Amino acid sequence: KKKVDEIKPSFPEGIEFKVVYDRSSLINRAIHTLRNSLLEEGIVVAAVIIIFLLHFGSSLVPIIVLPVAVALAFIPMHILGINSNIMSLGGIAIAIGIFSIGGYFAAIEVLGYLRRIAGDVNLVAFGVPEAFFAILKLALVIGLTASMPYALYLILQDLRRIYPTFSRKVLLGFWFGSVLLFGVGVLFSLSVLLPYGARYLLSFEGPTITACISTGKFVSFCSLFIIGFGLVFELPLVMMLLARMGVITPEALSKHRRYAILGATIISAILTPTPDAVNLMLMAVPLYCLFEIGLLCMRL
């Protein structure tokens, strides 16, 4: 409506703009329903946890995680000015929230697993609430990772609405490839990047230095690698999608490989939470290899 009001003065004389179908009331009702549903789900889940587990702290998880999940889905879209299907974004947010609630009860075991692959590091809490918020953060990461297949499907489905030439068969093929690449990225970070990167950094520990690692910072360190590498491994698929939409061509990209090397280095420097060259190369080299794989896929 604001856009129409802006361009109305430029209409020729005698030309009027009449609204035939206004979806604003439908959108407002959808937002109202989503808000009420999130509130009801949070209260019900919190009540069930208090009644059956007799643990008040755990009941705070759905109350905190569900609004945060909604913010993660909507805030970046609002900042970037990107429009999308509100029900798809609401579905993604609710999926993240539901999986995060389940992830809360598995967070202790997951934290123990991350501690073991990092070389049995000593974790400490530098503050009363740090351990709780670290578990909460890890639960959110578990929820985000577990809901990724559903989120990718909804994103690709919205893309199909914009580009109707994408058949359902092509959409399912891209969805399967995106889930596979995300899973490979997560497994690579857990089996290669985290164990070798963390142990290399801890190798500087000596007789006069004992590493006492903050639980919150350790969770942030692992989460950035896991989610970051899962998303980075989507690069070949993103390149194929952009090629199909006619945005880029493999010939144009192949002429600028030196910029791809520079870009991979910069992205790796941003994503890796440590300033050492080893962790940077552990991410930059696979990222450039993914760029070359993307070029090959674009030519198929």
Side-chain angles (χ1 to χ4, degrees), residues 42 51 67 83 87 94 140 162 168 188 202 226 230 240 268 273 294:
I51 293 170
N83 295 320
M87 298 310 293
I94 292 173
L140 189 60
I162 301 172
R168 183 172 179 80
F188 183 83
L202 290 172
I226 293 169
M240 287 182 66
S268 301

Side-chain angles (χ1 to χ4, degrees), residues 120-190:
D120 288 323
V121 295
N122 297 317
L123 299 179
V124 294
F126 295 103
V128 175
E130 182 176 352
F132 171 72
F133 284 113
I135 295 299
L136 199 65
K137 187 190 303 180
L138 187 56
L140 189 60
V141 172
I142 294 171
L144 184 62
T145 304
S147 62
M148 192 58 68
Y150 179 67
L152 290 170
Y153 178 78
L154 290 181
I155 291 170
L156 289 171
Q157 200 172 38
D158 283 340
L159 191 64
R160 188 188 173 196
R161 294 190 184 99
I162 301 172
Y163 297 95
T165 54
F166 281 8
S167 65
R168 183 172 179 80
K169 185 178 179 181
V170 173
L171 182 145
L172 290 175
F174 272 104
W175 174 77
F176 179 78
S178 65
V179 173
L180 180 64
L181 287 172
F182 183 81
V184 170
V186 170
L187 288 175
F188 183 83
S189 65
L190 290 173

Side-chain angles (χ1 to χ4, degrees), residues 62-229:
I63 297 173
I64 296 173
V65 169
L66 285 173
V68 171
V70 173
L72 287 175
F74 283 93
I75 289 176
M77 302 289 289
H78 176 72
I79 293 173
L80 296 174
I82 300 172
N83 295 320
S84 186
N85 187 335
I86 188 172
M87 298 310 293
S88 296
L89 292 176
I92 293 172
I94 292 173
I96 294 173
I98 291 172
F99 281 114
S100 297
I101 293 169
Y104 176 80
F105 299 101
I108 295 296
E109 287 75 13
V110 173
L111 182 60
Y113 170 74
L114 294 174
R115 190 182 71 84
R116 287 193 300 274
I117 66 173
D120 288 323
V121 295
N122 297 317
L123 299 179
V124 294
F126 295 103
V128 175
E130 182 176 352
F132 171 72
F133 284 113
I135 295 299
L136 199 65
K137 187 190 303 180
L138 187 56
L140 189 60
V141 172
I142 294 171
L144 184 62
T145 304
S147 62
M148 192 58 68
Y150 179 67
L152 290 170
Y153 178 78
L154 290 181
I155 291 170
L156 289 171
Q157 200 172 38
D158 283 340
L159 191 64
R160 188 188 173 196
R161 294 190 184 99
I162 301 172
Y163 297 95
T165 54
F166 281 8
S167 65
R168 183 172 179 80
K169 185 178 179 181
V170 173
L171 182 145
L172 290 175
F174 272 104
W175 174 77
F176 179 78
S178 65
V179 173
L180 180 64
L181 287 172
F182 183 81
V184 170
V186 170
L187 288 175
F188 183 83
S189 65
L190 290 173
S191 59
V192 178
L193 193 65
L194 271 176
Y196 289 101
R199 287 172 185 175
Y200 171 77
L201 294 175
L202 290 172
S203 65
F204 293 95
E205 184 180 9
T208 57
I209 301 175
T210 301
C212 293
I213 301 170
S214 164
T215 306
K217 290 183 177 179
F218 178 75
V219 170
S220 299
F221 176 86
C222 296
S223 301
L224 189 59
F225 273 110
I226 293 169
I227 300 296
F229 239 79

Side-chain angles (χ1 to χ4, degrees), residues 270-286:
I270 295 171
L271 289 179
T272 48
T274 57
D276 63 287
V278 174
N279 277 310
L280 187 145
M281 292 304 295
L282 282 173
M283 180 171 276
V285 172

